[in-house]
Amino acid sequence: MCLYSRRMHFVCLVCRAAWKKTPASRGPGHCPQCRGELINAGADLAVPKRRDLAGWRALEAVLRAGLTFHGGCCGTGPGYRPRTPREVQERLALAGRTGMPVRAALAVVDATLTDRHGAGARAPGRGTRIARQPAGVPERSRETARHG
């Protein structure tokens, strides 16, 4: 159980600015610059620089889809989130092709693997190992078993 207080990032997409507040603060509040609504993006957000327009466009797409950067207990993290508009476009195309919800498609690590192997595909490198021969079985008996 985590007993430390984590400060959350509150983001204004219009001003491309973020502020940190504790969960005990009064609600999301308003942006001090434009008086717009602040979005609670979570504690694990890596805020793009203000001049990084592509990063802010990707962040806006992720937040508008309903994904946030709230991690689990003890630093488990929120999972994959796209960082560039190209990654966002690839995942939106995946959602259009497969019928997957946009929110789920934006959280997919690799859009090409999921498209090729189905919506429930695992991360690359997992589950690809060939079944091993039980210990104690000689190599020759395996060959004869295949051909015989």
Side-chain angles (χ1 to χ4, degrees), residues 3 11 13 15 35 37 40 50-51 54 60 71 80 99 106 110 116 118 126 138 140:
L3 298 175
V11 178
L13 296 172
C15 299
R35 302 302 300 161
E37 188 74 24
N40 183 354
R50 188 168 288 170
R51 66 179 176 260
E60 181 176 4
Y80 174 79
L106 285 173
D110 188 358
R116 191 176 331 139
R126 301 182 133 225
R140 199 160 145 207

Side-chain angles (χ1 to χ4, degrees), residues 2-16:
C2 296
L3 298 175
Y4 60 92
S5 172
R6 295 181 63 171
R7 298 186 322 166
M8 302 292 166
H9 288 274
F10 288 86
V11 178
C12 177
L13 296 172
V14 175
C15 299
R16 296 190 312 263

Side-chain angles (χ1 to χ4, degrees), residues 12 14-15 19 21 26 28-38:
C12 177
V14 175
C15 299
W19 292 270
K21 295 183 179 184
R26 297 176 299 148
H30 297 282
C31 174
Q33 297 171 1
C34 71
R35 302 302 300 161
E37 188 74 24
L38 293 177

Side-chain angles (χ1 to χ4, degrees), residues 34-105:
C34 71
R35 302 302 300 161
E37 188 74 24
L38 293 177
I39 299 171
N40 183 354
D44 295 331
L45 171 66
V47 181
K49 294 187 180 213
R50 188 168 288 170
R51 66 179 176 260
D52 181 12
L53 297 178
W56 279 97
R57 282 197 316 258
L59 178 62
E60 181 176 4
V62 168
L63 292 177
R64 298 269 186 232
L67 290 173
T68 58
F69 295 83
H70 293 283
C73 182
C74 301
T76 56
Y80 174 79
R81 302 291 186 260
R83 290 182 162 235
T84 64
R86 181 177 180 183
E87 292 175 350
V88 171
Q89 288 175 348
E90 290 171 353
R91 277 126 188 99
L92 292 178
L94 169 70
R97 281 192 309 268
T98 62
M100 184 185 296
V102 173
R103 184 176 180 171

